[in-house]
Amino acid sequence: MCGIVGYIGKKDAYPILIKGLKRLEYRGYDSAGVALISDKQALNVYKAKGKVSELEAFVAEKDISGTTGIAHTRWATHGEPCSINAHPHYSSSERLALIHNGIIENYAVLKEKLQSKGYTFKSSTDTEVLVQLIEYIQNKQSIDLLTAVQLALREVIGAYAIAVLDHNNPDCIIAARKSSPLVVGIGEDEFFLASDATPIVEYTDKVIYLDDEEIAVIRRGEPLKIVTLPNMECEHEIQTVALNLGQLEKGGYPHFMLKEIFEQPDCICDCMRGRINVEGTNVVLSAVIDYKERLLAAKRFIIVACGTSWHAGLIGKQLIETFCRIPVEVEYASEFRYRDPVIDSNDVVIAISQSGETADTLAAVELAKSHGAFIYGICNSVGSSIPRATHTGSYIHVGPEIGVASTKAFTGQVTVLTMLALTLARAKKSIDEERFLAIVKELEHIPDKMKEVLQLNNSIAELSKMFTYAHNFIYLGRGFAYPVALEGALKLKEISYIHAEGYPAAEMKHGPIALIDTEMPVVVIATRNDLYEKVLSNIQEIKARKGKVIALVTKGDEVISRIADTCIELPETIECLDPLITTMPLQLLAYHVAVCKGMDVDQPRNLAKSVTVE
Ligand code: G6P
C-alpha cells in the first residue's frame, strides 16, 4: 500500500514524479503529494485529497520547478484520507520532507517522547513522527542527514520504505527500506526511486532492489552509495528489468481490468512457454529440476496466500492431492503467521502472491523458513520481496497486473500450480502416463478455449444490466468449482460493492438457502463433470424456492438450460482445468455489473493492489 517515487537529475522532476505516481496509483489512491527542491532552492510540498489528478489540479498555479523531488500516493493506515494526512510530511522547521510506505508500529511511544520535548504534530499519521524524529536527532547531535536517518530508523519498529529531502542539502535524496519495497533506477546522470520498477522503465532498465535495512544515498553527480543502518557499505548487482511500456497502458480498453481479462489467452501461453515441450509430452519447471529430491521428500505441502491468490491455492490443493497424493493445507497467510502453526523441515511451503509484496504472505514465508521448511514461491512480480525470500519458485509470467481486482494473475497461478502438480506427480509416478499426457495436451488448448469464452463478452454485458438492482449474490460450485465460486463472489464485491458469498453448492442447505427468494441471483458453476448430477439437484433446490439461477454450463447442455433462468455456455475441458475456463465469465460478469453501476472498476474504494501492511 502507498506508492513512492523520487527523482534527481537534470530533467524537471515534477512531470516524472506525477507520471510515476499514476503508475503506482494501484497501490493506494486516497491522497497524493509531492515535494520539490525548487529552482529558487525552496523545499515546496503540495498535497491533495483524492487521486493523483486532484494533486495535478491543485498545483496548477504553483511553483513546480526543480530537478530533485519525491512524491507519494497514499492508502490510509493511520489517520483519515485528507490533505493534512497526505505525504510528504514536513519536519517542524520545514527543513525536511519525508514520504513513507509501511507502518511505524511504535509511533505512539516515539510521538509522546517528541511531544515531551516540545514537538507538535499537524497530522494523525505515524509518518510525521518519523520525520520529526529525524529532525530532532539531527538538531540534537548536529549530524548529517544520513546519520540522523540511520539513528532514527534504529528506534523504529515496523515496516518502511522512505525517502527524505533536506532543504539544506538540495542535491541529495536519502531512501531506506524494511519490509516495504524500494527500487533505485540508474540512468545517465540521473537516479529514480520507486516502490516498483513501473515508474522507472520509461527512462532506464537498470535497477537495484534495496534489501531490508539498507539505505540508498542518492547524490547528484555522484555514484549511488548503499549502506546499512550500522553504516556498512553494501555491494549490489545492477539488474535489468524487462518491462515493456505497452504493458503499462490500457491499449484501447476502457479499463485495465477488461484489458487484463482479455490478455488471459496470451498470458497463459507466456506462462507455459518453455515449460511444456513442443511435442506436448512433457512439463518442465526448472525449480522442480533443481530441487526434485527436496520436493518429493515433502510429507506435506502448506500453501500460504491472501485474497485471490488464496483461492488459487485452494485449487492447487486439489491438484496436488489428486495427482501427487501428498496432503496439502491451504492457509490464510495472516492467520498462519500468528497462530503458532506446526511446521517442520519435512514441510514444503508454497507462497502464492501476484505482487510478491503482501506483508502477511512474506511474514508467513519468514516464519516457515525459521522452522526449517522449504519454501517455493509462485509470484508474478519479478524481483519482488517474496521470490527473493524463498528457496526456489516459478514466476507466472503474466505481465504487470494493474487493475486492483486480480484476474490474469489468478489464471496464471492456477496454470503454474497445474504444471507443478503434474511435474511432481510424474516424478513421483503417482499419475498414470495416459492421464498425464491427456492433461498436458488439453492445457495447450486452454488459450484457444479462453478466446472462445471472451466472445461471450457482449452477451455477458447485456446480462449484467439485469443485476444492477441486486444487493446480494450467491455463487455456488463443487470440487474444483468451489474455489471458482469464491473467486467469482470476491470479484463482484470488490468492484461493484454488491454483497456476494461463495459457497460449496451442497453446503447451501445448511444456511444460505434461507436467503433465497425471487430477488436473489444465484450463480452456479454447473459444467459437465463427475459432480454434474449433484449440482443439478442443487439447482433444483434453488428453483423450488424461486431463486434466479445463472448457470455456467458446458456447451450443448440441454438439461440445465431448461431449468436455469440464464445459461452461459462454455467450451468443454478436463475437470481439473475447468477453473481456467469458468473463472473468466465470472470476471466479465463482475466487471460489467460494476460498469453498469458506474463504479471505479480499476480502483475500487478502500482497496489497494499491493498490501504491504498487515
Ligand atoms: C489485495 C488485492 C487482491 C490480491 C491480494 C493478495 O487484497 O486487492 O487482488 O488477491 O491482495 O495479493 P498478492 O499480491 O499477494 O497476490
Side-chain angles (χ1 to χ4, degrees):
M1 338 287 278
C2 300
I4 72 180
V5 199
Y7 176 77
I8 190 164
K10 291 186 171 155
K11 301 185 186 111
D12 279 339
Y14 177 77
I16 294 171
L17 297 173
I18 288 292
K19 205 168 192 183
L21 284 188
K22 287 188 175 163
R23 292 257 158 80
L24 293 178
E25 225 171 7
Y26 72 87
R27 302 176 67 87
Y29 33 81
D30 60 44
S31 54
V34 57
L36 296 156
I37 307 257
S38 76
D39 293 345
K40 295 181 185 142
Q41 302 293 298
L43 173 53
N44 292 323
V45 170
Y46 307 117
K47 319 199 266 192
K49 181 179 172 184
K51 295 194 175 181
V52 177
S53 51
E54 306 288 329
L55 175 67
E56 283 181 286
F58 178 73
V59 301
E61 303 290 309
K62 311 251 180 334
D63 175 7
I64 48 163
S65 66
T67 53
T68 307
I70 54 177
H72 186 273
T73 178
R74 178 169 187 249
W75 185 87
T77 55
H78 294 69
E80 58 162 323
C82 61
S83 66
I84 290 177
N85 287 337
H87 303 209
H89 288 281
Y90 272 130
S91 59
S92 279
S93 69
E94 302 198 348
R95 172 184 165 179
L96 305 180
L98 180 143
I99 52 175
H100 168 220
N101 165 209
I103 292 185
I104 309 298
E105 286 174 11
N106 58 337
Y107 84 102
V109 178
L110 297 172
K111 191 171 183 173
E112 257 176 50
K113 175 176 144 184
L114 290 164
Q115 279 167 331
S116 71
K117 313 261 178 226
Y119 277 76
T120 56
F121 293 83
K122 294 194 180 81
S123 78
S124 26
T125 64
D126 51 338
T127 304
E128 195 186 359
V129 176
L130 180 57
V131 70
Q132 303 278 37
L133 178 66
I134 296 170
E135 183 175 276
Y136 166 70
I137 294 174
Q138 208 176 10
N139 289 342
K140 194 174 146 221
Q141 306 186 20
S142 298
I143 47 175
D144 64 8
L145 179 62
L146 170 63
T147 317
V149 169
Q150 285 168 321
L151 291 173
L153 291 179
R154 286 204 229 171
E155 289 192 38
V156 157
I157 300 171
Y160 54 79
I162 57 162
V164 198
L165 285 187
D166 181 352
H167 171 258
N168 297 356
N169 195 356
D171 293 321
C172 178
I173 301 175
I174 301 285
R177 79 153 258 178
K178 183 182 177 192
S179 304
S180 292
L182 202 53
V183 189
V184 183
I186 301 161
E188 291 278 327
D189 300 324
E190 59 185 357
F191 293 102
F192 305 83
L193 191 69
S195 298
D196 69 29
T198 57
I200 298 174
V201 284
E202 207 153 330
Y203 313 100
T204 176
D205 60 357
K206 305 273 174 288
V207 298
I208 284 177
Y209 293 92
L210 288 193
D211 283 326
D212 274 352
E213 303 200 340
E214 286 184 349
I215 302 181
V217 184
I218 307 169
R219 287 207 180 94
R220 189 190 306 279
E222 289 184 22
L224 177 69
K225 186 167 136 189
I226 298 174
V227 294
T228 59
L229 291 191
N231 208 29
M232 305 289 289
E233 273 211 41
C234 324
E235 288 292 316
H236 263 280
E237 214 175 290
I238 297 178
Q239 303 198 21
T240 307
V241 268
L243 263 181
N244 99 43
L245 278 181
Q247 294 175 310
L248 305 175
E249 311 289 345
K250 286 189 195 143
Y253 286 90
H255 297 100
F256 280 110
M257 181 177 177
L258 190 63
K259 177 186 176 223
E260 288 158 7
I261 293 172
F262 270 77
E263 280 173 349
Q264 287 175 106
D266 290 339
C267 291
I268 299 312
C269 288
D270 290 342
C271 180
M272 296 190 295
R273 182 164 300 121
R275 290 167 166 173
I276 297 187
N277 66 350
V278 275
E279 297 81 25
T281 53
N282 201 12
V283 185
V284 180
L285 288 176
S286 53
V288 178
I289 298 178
D290 295 345
Y291 293 95
K292 189 169 149 191
E293 301 312 323
R294 182 68 187 82
L295 292 167
L296 289 179
K299 293 267 182 300
R300 173 176 71 149
F301 283 88
I302 304 171
I303 297 178
V304 290
C306 301
T308 289
S309 299
W310 184 79
H311 295 156
L314 293 178
I315 296 171
K317 170 183 169 75
Q318 296 194 45
L319 290 162
I320 295 170
E321 289 191 341
T322 307
F323 300 141
C324 309
R325 312 308 300 159
I326 301 172
V328 183
E329 287 167 22
V330 187
E331 299 260 6
Y332 285 115
S334 52
E335 291 293 312
F336 179 80
R337 61 181 290 197
Y338 284 122
R339 65 164 184 75
D340 193 15
V342 179
I343 322 164
D344 67 36
S345 55
N346 294 312
D347 291 324
V348 169
V349 169
I350 302 179
I352 308 177
S353 173
Q354 186 286 129
S355 61
E357 298 293 349
T358 301
D360 284 320
T361 311
L362 184 57
V365 163
E366 298 297 356
L367 175 74
K369 242 169 52 178
S370 70
H371 284 75
F374 183 78
I375 321 287
Y376 194 111
I378 296 181
C379 295
N380 188 33
S381 193
V382 176
S384 53
S385 301
I386 294 171
R388 288 191 290 139
T390 53
H391 294 111
T392 188
S394 305
Y395 283 113
I396 61 174
H397 293 312
V398 300
E401 190 181 66
I402 293 162
V404 164
S406 185
T407 52
K408 61 179 182 173
F410 177 77
T411 43
Q413 290 162 346
V414 172
T415 305
V416 165
L417 285 160
T418 308
M419 292 191 286
L420 177 62
L422 288 173
T423 319
L424 290 175
R426 193 184 224 188
K428 197 169 175 273
K429 301 196 173 36
S430 53
I431 187 168
D432 70 59
E433 196 60 11
E434 205 180 320
R435 192 173 187 203
F436 176 90
L437 291 174
I439 298 171
V440 176
K441 194 165 237 74
E442 182 59 13
L443 251 184
E444 292 193 300
H445 291 141
I446 290 292
D448 283 339
K449 293 188 178 181
M450 286 179 146
K451 285 184 190 156
E452 271 185 60
V453 180
L454 291 172
Q455 285 170 11
L456 301 171
N457 183 41
N458 290 341
S459 55
I460 295 176
E462 271 307 302
L463 173 70
S464 305
K465 291 182 189 157
M466 290 160 51
F467 294 105
T468 48
Y469 74 86
H471 295 294
N472 296 288
F473 257 77
I474 294 179
Y475 286 71
L476 301 175
R478 301 184 77 148
F480 281 101
Y482 162 51
V484 176
L486 294 179
E487 176 60 8
L490 179 64
K491 286 292 84 92
L492 189 75
K493 61 190 152 198
E494 278 181 309
I495 58 171
S496 72
Y497 316 149
I498 295 174
H499 169 248
E501 276 193 60
Y503 241 78
E507 276 290 303
M508 183 187 62
K509 53 185 163 300
H510 300 292
I513 201 163
L515 299 171
I516 290 173
D517 59 15
T518 52
E519 301 278 282
M520 175 66 88
V522 185
V523 178
V524 189
I525 301 145
T527 45
R528 217 168 248 298
N529 58 42
D530 289 351
L531 293 167
Y532 178 80
E533 303 296 338
K534 307 268 180 211
V535 176
L536 181 57
S537 307
N538 298 139
I539 292 178
Q540 302 278 22
E541 288 157 12
I542 302 160
K543 283 316 298 173
R545 284 149 188 93
K546 302 201 166 30
K548 289 222 162 14
V549 173
I550 306 149
L552 306 193
V553 296
T554 307
K555 219 189 251 171
D557 187 311
E558 287 180 354
V559 181
I560 294 181
S561 56
R562 273 189 255 120
I563 315 166
D565 296 83
T566 309
C567 279
I568 298 175
E569 292 201 18
L570 301 172
E572 185 166 14
T573 186
I574 297 177
E575 185 174 354
C576 67
L577 301 182
D578 221 24
L580 294 170
I581 300 299
T582 50
T583 303
M584 294 178 72
L586 303 186
Q587 296 168 343
L588 287 169
L589 181 69
Y591 171 78
H592 288 297
V593 171
V595 170
C596 286
K597 293 189 73 177
M599 299 307 182
D600 188 343
V601 171
D602 282 334
Q603 295 177 340
R605 69 180 179 209
N606 302 339
L607 298 179
K609 184 142 194 78
S610 187
V611 184
T612 52
V613 295
E614 62 172 279

